[in-house]
Amino acid sequence: MIGWRGNIPRSSKGKYSARIAWLIRAPRCIILQSHTAGRPQQKANCMSRDLIAHNRPVYDDLHPRVYGTAAGLVGWFVLSAWILFDRQSEVELSLMFVTVLLFVAVLLPWLLSQIWRRYDHRHDPHARPIPFGEWRRGEFAVWGSTINSSHATIDMLLPLAAVAFGLTAIGIVFLICASLAP
């Protein structure tokens, strides 16, 4: 059963405009009633009056630390592939192709960002470098909307981290199985 918390004051029961004013000022809490183990329980879920977080800066580019972390995770992937899967000329050519592919995948966006930074005249550059903590508490512009900057960071780095650490785990299991084989 769902209901609104609180009662309309008696002084405003006959006045339509006073009822609307009271509803606007009333805390928006939904009372949820459930019956577990034969006993009714009530729980109130209150909504915030602020639907939009105010005074949070909106950034349209990722922080340089995020790019550095992404490059570090790609480097981790390449190193773990070479260290854990190199079998002296059996897979060396394949590892070389993977290394070149990932090197180009990191190098091209970095070069494009350097060119963009040099010739971007849309807005003035920041007067000072933005600290990572301040950037993390802000918003990140995505198409026509914004998301929390820390969520944007997680969305970008989580697949890279999963691949890098997953390959490392698979390589460790591979080495353990290879050492135990007769």
Side-chain angles (χ1 to χ4, degrees):
M1 180 178 187
I2 299 174
W4 290 99
R5 176 188 254 180
N7 296 322
I8 297 175
R10 290 180 186 217
S11 62
S12 65
K13 280 199 175 180
K15 303 171 190 159
Y16 181 72
S17 62
R19 281 187 183 182
I20 293 175
W22 181 84
L23 286 173
I24 291 172
R25 288 190 310 269
R28 301 288 185 254
C29 294
I30 297 176
I31 299 173
L32 303 171
Q33 293 182 350
S34 64
H35 297 280
T36 56
R39 289 182 262 163
Q41 294 179 337
Q42 285 189 351
K43 182 171 89 172
N45 290 337
C46 295
M47 295 185 287
S48 172
R49 289 186 182 271
D50 295 330
L51 298 177
I52 300 172
H54 297 288
N55 298 327
R56 293 176 77 176
V58 177
Y59 301 105
D60 60 351
D61 52 349
L62 291 170
H63 195 272
R65 281 193 188 176
V66 177
Y67 288 119
T69 305
L73 287 170
V74 170
W76 180 294
F77 177 82
V78 169
L79 284 176
S80 66
W82 276 98
I83 292 171
L84 299 172
F85 293 100
D86 187 19
R87 295 287 165 255
Q88 303 301 348
S89 77
E90 290 178 14
V91 292
E92 191 172 285
L93 185 62
S94 299
L95 287 175
M96 185 60 70
F97 279 122
V98 169
T99 302
V100 169
L101 175 72
L102 292 175
F103 178 73
V104 169
V106 170
L107 182 68
L108 281 179
W110 180 77
L111 284 174
L112 290 174
S113 71
Q114 295 300 316
I115 294 169
W116 180 266
R117 188 175 298 153
R118 175 180 255 176
Y119 296 107
D120 182 24
H121 301 295
R122 290 181 304 144
H123 52 74
D124 295 330
H126 296 286
R128 61 177 175 80
I130 301 167
F132 182 71
E134 182 181 323
W135 180 87
R136 186 178 51 92
R137 286 186 292 275
E139 295 285 321
F140 184 72
V142 179
W143 291 53
S145 183
T146 61
I147 61 172
N148 193 337
S149 294
S150 59
H151 293 174
T153 303
I154 291 169
D155 289 346
M156 180 185 168
L157 295 179
L158 188 61
L160 293 173
V163 168
F165 298 139
L167 184 73
T168 303
I170 290 170
I172 290 172
V173 169
F174 182 70
L175 286 178
I176 291 172
C177 291
S179 67
L180 295 177

